[in-house]
Amino acid sequence: MEYSINKGIGRSVEYKGLKAQYLFIFAGGLLSLFVVFVIMYVAGVGQWVCVGFGIVSGSMLVWYTFHLNAKYGEHGLMKRAAAKYHPRYIINRRRVGRIVRKGVAA
């Protein structure tokens, strides 16, 4: 079985419908779930509790990652994060007469 990961030069990485940063979110989430699973098992939590936690949280991670991918698209999540740093409005502290005179001369 062969899996195609990249669909061409200049296009973003896509695997099974997940694009760009969602692949990294998905991989990081699975890695962190595995670490939590191992810590729980070593700490003495019951085996079936650990397995149940792994299945439920893994399923939620898969659903949420594909949900974000469908909702925001390839670059939408980065645009949403960048929107926090944009000013809501621009303040101009010049007098109106000075702005109008400067605009007429130009």
Side-chain angles (χ1 to χ4, degrees):
M1 195 177 291
E2 188 174 312
Y3 294 106
S4 166
I5 292 182
N6 204 348
K7 297 194 180 254
I9 297 173
R11 296 181 72 185
S12 65
V13 176
E14 179 179 349
Y15 181 72
K16 299 275 187 182
L18 286 179
K19 296 178 183 175
Q21 73 267 17
Y22 302 105
L23 280 172
F24 299 113
I25 292 171
F26 183 66
L30 284 179
L31 182 65
S32 63
L33 284 176
F34 178 71
V35 169
V36 170
F37 177 85
V38 169
I39 290 172
M40 286 173 59
Y41 188 75
V42 170
V45 178
Q47 178 181 359
W48 291 110
V49 174
C50 293
V51 170
F53 168 77
I55 290 172
V56 170
S57 56
S59 300
M60 287 177 58
L61 175 70
V62 169
W63 173 81
Y64 191 65
T65 307
F66 277 94
H67 172 74
L68 286 176
N69 187 37
K71 184 175 182 179
Y72 294 114
E74 185 175 348
H75 302 293
L77 199 58
M78 290 185 289
K79 288 179 183 179
R80 184 169 183 219
K84 295 178 191 175
Y85 300 107
H86 291 185
R88 291 179 188 232
Y89 52 88
I90 298 174
I91 297 174
N92 191 345
R93 299 194 187 275
R94 289 184 172 180
R95 291 186 322 219
V96 176
R98 188 171 181 182
I99 294 172
V100 172
R101 266 187 273 135
K102 203 167 228 182
V104 173

